Amino acid sequence: TTFAELRRAPQVADAFPVVAEMAATIGALQIQSRATVGGNIANASPAGDSLPVWLALGATVELAGPGGRRSVPYDEVHVDYRRTALRRGELIVGLFVPPARPDEVFAFRKVGTRAAQAISKVVVAMRARRDGDALLDVRLAAGSVAPVPVRLREAERAATGRAIDDAVAADVGAAAAGEVTPIDDVRSTADYRRFALARVVRRVVLRAVAGDAGAEASDR
């Protein structure tokens, strides 16, 4: 499945608009027409824009090979820098996402140098249940801040069950920045990535309780 197909599919937009938003930020139209979900996962770049989304959504990857079929929770797919849990001869043949509940909120934000053809400096995705001003069952994931896409578990704990206000959102962002291991490279510095991650996570949780977590999927 190409990212252009994800971007345009009505069933994707209806069920998980956050996936369509993510697909629209990958490369440019030409790349979206060629790049595939399976390719993005198997390539296993820590800057792969779709990877934190599948991680936050709690997806399961179905693999097929000489030994038959097996399902791997997305939390177990990326085992090291550009290494996955695929065994020799296996192919990615399916991706399954648990259905959305009416009280769930989702978010995706990408920080890049420009609006298109940008490799992410930081990418964040979230899935959570909204209960008034609080968030429950929070799943936060980030890319470009470690050798593999990571769950922000300290930030998840900091966000869960608390009434979200500016101070709490700042705590959640600080927790996220404190649990990642970014590097300096040609696209950004480690310090900037930590700073950007804290700001993006803060903004995401604030917008989640305000009801517009999916707004403005890309930052420059």
Side-chain angles (χ1 to χ4, degrees):
T1 303
T2 68
F3 288 102
E5 290 172 317
L6 280 187
R7 182 178 185 174
R8 296 168 183 158
Q11 61 269 42
V12 173
D14 289 343
F16 289 102
V18 67
V19 173
E21 292 162 11
M22 170 271 293
T25 70
I26 290 180
L29 293 177
Q30 297 94 325
I31 291 174
Q32 291 168 19
S33 297
R34 296 286 291 176
T36 65
V37 173
N40 207 224
I41 294 170
N43 182 54
S45 167
D49 293 332
S50 76
L51 312 188
V53 175
W54 310 130
L55 189 54
L57 291 179
T60 298
V61 176
E62 185 177 4
L63 306 175
R69 291 187 176 231
R70 64 189 181 104
S71 296
V72 179
Y74 207 87
D75 295 76
E76 302 173 12
V77 168
H78 299 281
V79 298
D80 203 346
Y81 178 70
R82 288 191 178 269
R83 288 187 56 216
T84 70
L86 274 75
R87 298 169 184 160
R88 184 178 297 275
E90 285 187 325
L91 299 174
I92 298 171
V93 296
L95 184 73
F96 300 91
V97 177
R101 294 170 40 138
D103 60 347
E104 282 189 310
V105 290
F106 303 89
F108 170 81
R109 293 189 68 83
K110 173 181 176 176
V111 179
T113 305
R114 52 193 181 185
Q117 297 281 42
I119 300 175
S120 61
K121 298 171 185 277
V122 171
V123 57
V124 173
M126 185 188 73
R127 180 176 191 166
R129 291 195 297 116
R130 186 171 62 206
D131 182 13
D133 290 335
L135 297 175
L136 305 174
D137 299 332
V138 181
R139 292 179 65 96
L140 274 163
S144 286
V145 292
V148 296
V150 292
R151 286 275 299 277
L152 302 172
R153 297 187 185 275
E154 292 299 322
E156 291 173 352
R157 283 189 278 270
T160 299
R162 304 168 68 187
I164 302 294
D165 57 17
D166 286 341
V168 170
D171 287 346
V172 178
E179 59 182 316
V180 297
T181 56
I183 61 171
D184 296 325
D185 64 13
V186 295
R187 291 192 301 280
S188 191
T189 65
D191 286 343
Y192 177 78
R193 285 187 165 105
R194 289 190 188 94
F195 171 80
L197 179 66
R199 298 293 292 180
V200 170
V201 169
R202 172 186 175 275
R203 188 179 300 180
V204 160
V205 296
L206 283 172
R207 288 187 167 174
V209 295
D212 60 350
E216 299 180 29
S218 180
D219 282 324
R220 286 174 284 168

